[in-house]
Amino acid sequence: MDTQLKGARVLVTAGASGIGLATALAFAREGARVHVCDIDETHLSKAAGRELSHSVCDVSDPEAVAQLFATVTAKLGGLDVLVNNAGIAGPTAPCVEVKLADWERTLAVNLTGQFLCAQHAIPMLAHSRNASIVNLSSAAGRFGFPNRTPYAASKWGVIGFTKSLAMEVGPLGIRVNAICPGAVEGARIDHVFASRARLRNVHPDVVRDEALARISLGRLVTAEDIANAIVFLASPLGANISGHALPVDGDTQALF
Ligand code: NAD
């Protein structure tokens, strides 16, 4: 299937690892010109290699985001696709024990970061004939997630932001969608299972098994599954899809 993304100008935030890196490489395989940013300079330059242009950016820092978009303009000469991927897990604790600084940091990266990037991207995307923003939400943006209130609040916020922005910028020809990944195989979810297991005083395998029991397909998803969905949504193949929050989660019925 031809995704018609050859030459498309794409920015993926937090592209040094995980879903961001898989997504950046998937766009590059389709012939797109891809810029990735990340807060982690060491991993970023290794991961990006020669295929992806890259620069350091903390998406919660307005000045750093302004610099990022100046760099993207210089390197790509415009923008067709913004993938707002940067997100942190935040604390695992009952709400009454969550530190205000941790709550604020989680919202700053997961939600304000998307807002800041969108503000810079929209005027650029308005000049594109296939303009698209894909925001990373989560299954935690569809279900309640006890002991992860900052993360869940930020990811429900992403869906409200996505649906409102889609209505606002649709008349400019810009599509805005969200992806809600389920638990993705890898170090991040192992850490999430371990944190939850510590809180409940059980083995991490107990938490993992409980999670799998709530997924109809009985398996975790991969970063590549998420990347494929993002590439499809952002490509001309998704030309009339906007304002959606698409789960890619093996049919998850509840969180663990
Ligand atoms: P990850 O933890 O594997 O990678 C995150 C990357 O983000 C790292 O390279 C890190 O350096 C970078 N980063 C952290 N803070 C940053 C900041 N302030 N500015 C720029 N970069 C920053 O993450 P992932 O699992 O690939 O998740 C990517 C997105 O998908 C996130 O928004 C996450 O919430 C969402 N998600 C992940 C899962 C999962 O199971 N992995 C499930 C649902 C949703």
Side-chain angles (χ1 to χ4, degrees):
M1 198 184 294
D2 178 8
T3 57
Q4 302 163 49
L5 282 166
K6 198 166 171 26
R9 298 154 300 178
V10 179
L11 168 62
V12 181
T13 67
S17 65
I19 292 169
L21 180 59
T23 301
L25 294 174
F27 274 109
R29 274 195 298 276
E30 297 301 312
R33 295 165 58 212
V34 187
H35 187 87
V36 289
C37 74
D38 203 283
I39 203 171
D40 180 343
E41 191 168 4
T42 315
H43 277 99
L44 181 62
S45 46
K46 267 194 221 142
R50 291 209 192 123
E51 223 173 344
L52 314 169
S53 68
H54 60 90
S55 58
V56 174
C57 175
D58 176 343
V59 296
S60 70
D61 175 348
E63 282 172 23
V65 172
Q67 181 54 52
L68 168 66
F69 278 83
T71 305
V72 167
T73 303
K75 291 204 184 268
L76 303 183
L79 193 67
D80 301 297
V81 178
L82 165 66
V83 182
N84 263 327
N85 168 68
I88 55 173
T92 299
C95 182
V96 291
E97 289 172 20
V98 170
K99 293 189 179 70
L100 177 61
D102 291 338
W103 169 270
E104 287 181 338
R105 181 68 187 154
T106 309
L107 287 167
V109 176
N110 295 8
L111 194 52
T112 308
Q114 296 197 357
F115 158 74
L116 291 172
C117 290
Q119 278 200 317
H120 285 274
I122 288 163
M124 296 172 78
L125 293 170
H127 295 288
S128 162
R129 271 191 248 144
N130 177 50
S132 180
I133 299 176
V134 182
N135 295 325
L136 268 292
S137 177
S138 169
R142 302 198 301 128
F143 302 108
F145 203 6
N147 299 312
R148 291 285 299 281
T149 49
Y151 184 74
S154 73
K155 294 302 187 180
W156 280 75
V158 166
I159 295 179
F161 178 57
T162 300
K163 287 187 173 286
S164 306
L165 193 60
M167 293 171 76
E168 224 178 273
V169 300
L172 301 175
I174 304 171
R175 300 184 293 107
V176 188
N177 291 290
I179 297 273
C180 301
V184 176
E185 283 286 6
R188 181 189 172 113
I189 206 68
D190 290 345
H191 177 72
V192 169
F193 289 150
S195 303
R196 258 186 133 60
R198 262 197 308 279
L199 200 69
R200 291 172 48 195
N201 210 13
V202 295
H203 192 274
D205 285 351
V206 174
V207 181
R208 188 186 178 89
D209 290 346
E210 285 175 7
L212 290 175
R214 290 170 169 82
I215 302 170
S216 302
L217 290 175
R219 58 180 183 243
L220 303 183
V221 297
T222 65
E224 287 68 30
D225 294 331
I226 310 302
N228 289 338
I230 294 171
V231 165
F232 170 77
L233 272 183
S235 79
L237 298 177
N240 285 312
I241 304 172
S242 192
H244 283 279
L246 176 69
V248 180
D249 62 4
D251 191 30
T252 297
Q253 295 301 323
L255 290 173
F256 42 92

